[in-house]
Amino acid sequence: MATERYASAKAQYAKIGVDTDKAIETLKKVPISLHCWQGDDVTGFDQDGPLTGGIQTTGNYPGKARTPEELMADYDKVFKLCPGQYKLNLHASYAIFEDGEHVDRDKIQPKHFAKWVEFAKERNMGIDFNPTYFSHSMVKDNLTLSSPDEEVRKFWIEHGKRCIEISQYFAEETGIPCVMNIWIPDGYKDIPADRLGPRARFADSLDQILATPYDKTKVYPALESKVFGIGLESYTVGSSEFTVNYAAHHGIISLMDNGHYHPTEVVSDKISSLLLFNDKIALHVTRPVRWDSDHVIRFDDETKEICKEIVRNDALDRVFIATDYFDASINRIAAWTIGARNLQKALLAALLEPNADLKKLQDESRFTQLLALQEEIKTYPMGDVWDEYCASCGAPVGEEWIKEMEKYEEEVTSKRA
Ligand code: RNT
Ligand code: ZN
């Protein structure tokens, strides 16, 4: 039931040529790949050790998910609190072992993810996947696929191969293609003596992993770059130049995480260049703050600008959009929800811009009018359209979700020891 406020907003947007109904319908069909790892501080179920690999969660807010059942219940809660369409985004470390069975990462099989498939199918969702090259005893000296130790490198190549097989299984079972994103932490704390060798080994490892047979219409391998990791400040094997070039030469997808660049570089400015030369690209949307690349997404300028680049370049079906943040200092369900709702908001804001008219002003060099209109649009009643979008998705409107989150905390997460 559309509200009066929505009707009035719709009329106001119509004056600048924006169809709010269309924006809402478009957004409903954009699947966001929502990372599972906000639910348990990137712990996973396959090992008990600490989080390693140059990434860190800080904080120890009570109530984190400890089991597959708890993580699934929390995931479900988040899906209820957020409008829009989602995919599961899993890491290999979230394998579910049953009946006392345990296999190492080089031996995992589709059956270890059968419960996730069941969960996804019941919710009509696809699944994206990530081999887990961290938090494991075979990460030696912070190296995996670039290691000079052939035993280490072999182990992780096998892991990658198993993950391709599992990705294909996800795609076949759900009927929705699976993006399999490779990120490795490999790097050095101090200035290396050889920068080429590790990158050459990484490239060879990727070649071996990608030689695993898979259906290219079902599995989309992606490669994520990074600028530095904690304790690995001087050199990162999988730098941006490495990943973009490898992906372009091997017909796989480049994944940009907007927490993985120098502080004044922005992913919003990189999207158009990658779109010109690639059929598809992938994103990890997050919020970098000083050394941390994984704060909860806010409805901030760069998030909005990233979404504008996707929408105004007509690339909603060419950009695989995933989230990647983890905050352990606040309620995790809330962190998850705030980030996902903000990403949805930013996409909606982009869909509510008179993009063709703005481009025209630029091309006609009417920069005064362009700046004026860009600034006027900022106070258009987007909130009314957002509320309508949430309501039409059956999601809580406005701050209503906070009460639901608190109730869930009281009844469920606070009871976890
Ligand atoms: C790490 C990368 C990577 C991870 C996840 C857990 O810096 O961003 O994407 O966050 O794979
Ligand atoms: Zn990432």
Side-chain angles (χ1 to χ4, degrees), residues 21 25 50 55 76 114 143 150 166 169 176 178 184 194 227 241 285 296 309 315 323 329 334 345 417:
D21 290 343
E25 285 320 304
I55 50 177
D76 249 346
L143 301 172
E150 281 300 305
I166 294 163
Y169 158 74
I176 298 169
C178 172
I184 60 164
D194 175 16
V227 63
E241 291 73 16
V285 185
V296 177
E309 282 298 306
T323 50
S329 74
K345 264 182 227 161

Side-chain angles (χ1 to χ4, degrees), residues 37 181 183 224-225 255-258 260 284 286 293-294 323-324:
W37 50 93
N181 176 49
W183 170 74
E224 178 180 7
S225 68
L255 185 145
M256 295 189 288
D257 178 313
N258 64 299
H260 290 184
H284 269 183
T286 180
S293 62
D294 305 290
T323 50
D324 181 16

Side-chain angles (χ1 to χ4, degrees), residues 222-386:
L223 193 54
E224 178 180 7
S225 68
K226 194 162 179 174
V227 63
F228 79 94
I230 303 167
L232 305 163
E233 290 85 359
S234 298
Y235 168 80
T236 297
V237 180
S239 61
S240 176
E241 291 73 16
F242 179 96
T243 59
V244 170
N245 279 290
Y246 186 94
H249 278 264
H250 295 80
I252 65 165
I253 292 175
S254 273
L255 185 145
M256 295 189 288
D257 178 313
N258 64 299
H260 290 184
Y261 296 88
H262 291 285
T264 58
E265 274 186 280
V266 280
V267 161
S268 55
D269 187 58
K270 300 176 188 292
I271 291 172
S272 49
S273 297
L274 284 195
L275 282 176
L276 270 179
F277 303 109
N278 295 275
D279 175 32
K280 292 197 159 55
I281 65 167
L283 298 178
H284 269 183
V285 185
T286 180
R287 179 166 53 102
V289 179
R290 301 192 187 276
W291 60 265
D292 179 51
S293 62
D294 305 290
H295 272 52
V296 177
I297 301 170
R298 282 185 185 255
F299 184 51
D300 58 14
D301 285 349
E302 176 57 5
T303 310
K304 288 186 226 176
E305 202 65 21
I306 286 172
C307 293
K308 280 188 212 172
E309 282 298 306
I310 302 169
V311 168
R312 64 192 170 198
N313 296 323
D314 202 16
L316 279 167
D317 57 350
R318 294 174 58 202
V319 182
F320 293 110
I321 308 170
T323 50
D324 181 16
Y325 46 86
F326 27 98
D327 191 333
S329 74
I330 57 175
N331 179 299
R332 291 172 188 77
I333 315 277
W336 232 340
T337 303
I338 293 164
R341 285 177 70 102
N342 281 336
L343 181 53
Q344 295 273 353
K345 264 182 227 161
L347 284 164
L348 181 63
L351 287 161
L352 292 174
E353 295 234 330
N355 290 309
D357 289 347
L358 293 170
K359 277 185 198 174
K360 192 157 172 274
L361 288 175
Q362 175 178 317
D363 290 344
E364 291 169 351
S365 299
R366 296 173 68 195
F367 302 118
T368 309
Q369 286 78 2
L370 175 58
L371 178 60
L373 186 54
Q374 282 172 327
E375 290 305 299
E376 286 307 320
I377 293 164
K378 287 186 179 171
T379 49
Y380 265 55
M382 186 215 145
D384 296 336
V385 184
W386 167 247

Side-chain angles (χ1 to χ4, degrees), residues 153-192:
R153 201 162 75 92
K154 184 90 190 52
F155 177 86
W156 290 113
I157 290 168
E158 287 306 312
H159 177 56
K161 287 173 170 281
R162 296 297 82 71
C163 287
I164 294 223
E165 291 155 8
I166 294 163
S167 298
Q168 170 113 1
Y169 158 74
F170 287 155
E172 275 164 3
E173 287 289 323
T174 62
I176 298 169
C178 172
V179 177
M180 190 194 95
N181 176 49
I182 299 174
W183 170 74
I184 60 164
D186 300 33
Y188 291 105
K189 181 184 171 87
D190 222 323
I191 300 172

